[in-house]
Amino acid sequence: MALSKEQIAQRIAKEVKDGYFVNLGIGIPTLVANFVRNDIEVDFQSENGILGMGPFPFEGEEDPDLINAGKQTITALPGASFFDSAMSFSMIRGQHVDLTILGAMEVSQNGDIANWKIPGKMVKGMGGAMDLVASAENIIVAMMHTNRAGESKVLKQCSLPLTGVNCVKKIVSNLAVLEVKDGSFKLLERAPGVSVEEIIAATEGDLIVEGEIPEMSF
Amino acid sequence: MINKTVSNVSEACKGIADGMTFMLGGFGLSGIPENAIAELVRQDVKNVTCISNNAGIDNFGLGLLLQKHQIKKMISSYVGENAEFERQMLSGELEVELIPQGTLAQRCLAAQSGIPAFYTPAGYGTEVGEGKESREFNGKMYLMEKAFEADFAFVKAWKGDEAGNLIFKGTARNFNPNMCGAAKITVAEVEELVPAGELDPNQIHIPGIFVQRIFQGVNYEKRIEQLTVRKR
């Protein structure tokens, strides 16, 4: 069975290590916070200017001066800090943030990512995505392996306008965990009940399959 | 102490004219200079270029200027959530330059600090880099980006004093401090204006030297774009 969005988030949460500063993108990445182990310390950064982001406020306690990058009302945890936008991106470009998790429309086998623009459709903008992908040491992409028509989004070359080049290191899709290395995808894990053949069929880019491929555990 | 206080928003906006470039602080609707925006609408300045991370929503923030067709060009990183914006953009009435958020912040900071240009990795290899100088440092490619040039910066702070010193609150800080001193004239509106000496100098986020005019703002709505709460 292909993974649900929640399960993708749950699998990615295993990549979040004790002591990490993490920036979560909008969509599936936001769900990752719900699955991070309770026994480790992780600080979430939101690029509009908070480190130490907490859960949504209780009803009636929302503060218009306290939002995340998705413009949602949030809370600040003990030890949190606020800062301006330039400093926020100093944290990002300066590689002080350990892990960036974001969504993608397409990823190519050399690590290019496209996630901000579809020609012919209304363009909303890249927000902080280009800064994040250009700078982060460790980028994990959360995505669907194929589009609604069943066409692969894991490609030899992206067809959509790029957000960044040579930057994606790992993909967790609804079908598999892939590593992006030396110009190809390497299959690391498969979703429970999904066969290697199904993953090969859903991957347009070059896919290296070595030995037994374990099922994901959560 | 050099007193930067002006009595109201009209006095604070003295000198604005058609065709100028304005910087406006805020992220979404958080920390936007509500009073200055209302005054720009009232004075009906036309053909302006706005440097602002977002473009407001249909009936608030910069959306109010869009409704009156006052904006010629927007320079932003993200412009969703605004139907009139979309209409004007698709019809070609509105020119839009989308740039990465960190680049937008740094171009403000560069203008504030007298740095004409800088190199950033953001956008290299994408259409953002088209026509821009690129250069390799330590094996990685970077784009040269330039400091903004603007006539007025309109910022919003939580507290300020007569000297123009500013303190921001929460994530309403965002681009506001970076825009102070990044334009020829910086206009700060504050929720609470106090006499010099009342703010602790240790707590000042932006020293008054970066602010030319400061006034006590009124009637803040502080709208919430995405109200998200959890049950008790």
Side-chain angles (χ1 to χ4, degrees), chain A residues 25-54:
Chain A
I26 293 163
I28 299 174
T30 305
L31 302 173
V32 172
N34 301 335
F35 297 105
V36 174
R37 278 161 45 192
N38 289 325
D39 59 337
I40 62 174
E41 287 299 328
V42 175
D43 266 359
F44 290 104
Q45 196 249 23
S46 198
E47 64 268 23
N48 60 314
I50 177 174
L51 198 57
M53 178 169 52

Side-chain angles (χ1 to χ4, degrees), chain A:
Chain A
M1 267 279 284
L3 302 186
S4 66
K5 289 180 177 176
E6 284 73 19
Q7 287 171 311
I8 294 174
Q10 197 177 352
R11 174 60 190 83
I12 291 174
K14 278 181 69 183
E15 307 286 324
V16 178
K17 305 284 191 277
D18 191 29
Y20 268 16
F21 292 102
V22 182
N23 181 291
L24 300 177
I26 293 163
I28 299 174
T30 305
L31 302 173
V32 172
N34 301 335
F35 297 105
V36 174
R37 278 161 45 192
N38 289 325
D39 59 337
I40 62 174
E41 287 299 328
V42 175
D43 266 359
F44 290 104
Q45 196 249 23
S46 198
E47 64 268 23
N48 60 314
I50 177 174
L51 198 57
M53 178 169 52
F56 297 140
F58 289 119
E59 217 168 325
E61 291 180 2
E62 63 273 9
D63 178 355
D65 295 329
L66 188 42
I67 62 171
N68 64 15
K71 287 133 193 165
Q72 297 171 309
T73 45
I74 50 156
T75 54
L77 295 173
S81 56
F82 301 120
F83 36 84
D84 64 67
S85 300
M87 187 177 285
S88 179
F89 284 91
S90 295
M91 292 177 193
I92 290 164
R93 285 189 310 258
Q95 301 187 339
H96 307 285
V97 173
D98 299 289
L99 175 63
T100 290
I101 301 169
L102 76 175
M105 298 170 185
E106 294 177 347
V107 174
S108 79
Q109 62 196 29
N110 67 337
D112 296 352
I113 177 171
N115 74 351
W116 77 284
K117 183 176 184 179
I118 300 175
K121 291 202 177 176
M122 168 64 188
V123 179
K124 293 186 170 181
M126 66 291 281
M130 285 192 181
D131 307 272
L132 283 158
V133 300
S135 311
E137 278 278 287
N138 197 0
I139 300 177
I140 300 177
V141 166
M143 68 188 295
M144 294 295 153
H145 215 101
T146 55
N147 64 19
R148 286 200 182 95
E151 296 158 343
S152 183
K153 293 161 55 163
V154 183
L155 306 167
K156 284 186 167 50
Q157 258 193 331
C158 293
S159 64
L160 295 170
L162 296 179
T163 309
V165 293
N166 292 315
C167 54
V168 177
K169 306 284 191 299
K170 199 173 242 186
I171 299 169
V172 178
S173 78
N174 55 329
L175 302 182
V177 179
L178 305 175
E179 189 183 11
V180 185
K181 206 179 170 187
D182 304 328
S184 55
F185 298 109
K186 188 175 178 194
L187 182 57
L188 299 182
E189 299 172 24
R190 55 198 171 84
V194 172
S195 69
V196 170
E197 289 68 32
E198 283 173 82
I199 296 163
I200 291 171
T203 306
E204 192 253 3
D206 297 333
L207 182 68
I208 295 172
V209 184
E210 281 174 359
E212 276 296 297
I213 305 300
E215 280 193 358
M216 291 178 206
S217 59
F218 296 92

Side-chain angles (χ1 to χ4, degrees), chain A residues 26 46-50 55-75 81-90 93 95 113 116-117 120-136 161-165, chain B residues 27-31 53-54 76-82 85-86 89-90 98-106 109 118 120-128 140 156 158 169-178 191 221-232:
Chain A
I26 293 163
S46 198
E47 64 268 23
N48 60 314
I50 177 174
F56 297 140
F58 289 119
E59 217 168 325
E61 291 180 2
E62 63 273 9
D63 178 355
D65 295 329
L66 188 42
I67 62 171
N68 64 15
K71 287 133 193 165
Q72 297 171 309
T73 45
I74 50 156
T75 54
S81 56
F82 301 120
F83 36 84
D84 64 67
S85 300
M87 187 177 285
S88 179
F89 284 91
S90 295
R93 285 189 310 258
Q95 301 187 339
I113 177 171
W116 77 284
K117 183 176 184 179
K121 291 202 177 176
M122 168 64 188
V123 179
K124 293 186 170 181
M126 66 291 281
M130 285 192 181
D131 307 272
L132 283 158
V133 300
S135 311
L162 296 179
T163 309
V165 293
Chain B
F27 183 96
L29 299 178
S30 190
N53 189 57
N54 312 94
S76 305
S77 86
Y78 190 85
V79 293
E81 282 74 71
N82 192 322
F85 184 98
E86 184 170 346
M89 182 174 165
L90 293 174
L98 293 169
I99 60 177
Q101 197 175 329
T103 299
L104 198 155
Q106 198 67 25
L109 201 64
F118 57 91
T120 176
Y124 176 77
T126 77
E127 63 184 50
V128 166
K140 185 169 171 169
K156 152 82 193 331
W158 179 35
K169 178 167 168 271
T171 55
R173 189 182 317 191
N174 57 64
F175 290 85
N176 285 298
N178 306 140
E191 288 177 54
E221 286 189 48
K222 291 194 173 190
R223 289 200 205 171
I224 290 174
E225 224 168 317
Q226 304 282 343
L227 177 63
T228 44
V229 293
R230 67 189 149 131
K231 292 268 178 257
R232 271 174 208 282

Side-chain angles (χ1 to χ4, degrees), chain B residues 83-187:
Chain B
E84 177 59 17
F85 184 98
E86 184 170 346
R87 196 197 63 71
Q88 289 186 24
M89 182 174 165
L90 293 174
S91 71
E93 292 165 62
L94 179 68
E95 194 185 332
V96 180
E97 184 181 344
L98 293 169
I99 60 177
Q101 197 175 329
T103 299
L104 198 155
Q106 198 67 25
R107 289 178 68 185
C108 294
L109 201 64
Q112 180 194 67
S113 45
I115 302 286
F118 57 91
Y119 287 92
T120 176
Y124 176 77
T126 77
E127 63 184 50
V128 166
E130 285 169 18
K132 288 178 186 160
E133 182 186 321
S134 59
R135 192 168 159 181
E136 186 186 319
F137 294 94
N138 304 319
K140 185 169 171 169
M141 294 304 293
Y142 295 81
L143 291 178
M144 189 176 81
E145 295 281 2
K146 291 179 180 170
F148 282 125
E149 289 177 27
D151 297 291
F152 278 81
F154 297 104
V155 304
K156 152 82 193 331
W158 179 35
K159 292 180 182 175
D161 68 13
E162 296 165 323
N165 296 309
L166 303 176
I167 296 176
F168 301 89
K169 178 167 168 271
T171 55
R173 189 182 317 191
N174 57 64
F175 290 85
N176 285 298
N178 306 140
M179 290 177 173
C180 290
K184 288 177 190 138
I185 294 174
T186 297
V187 173

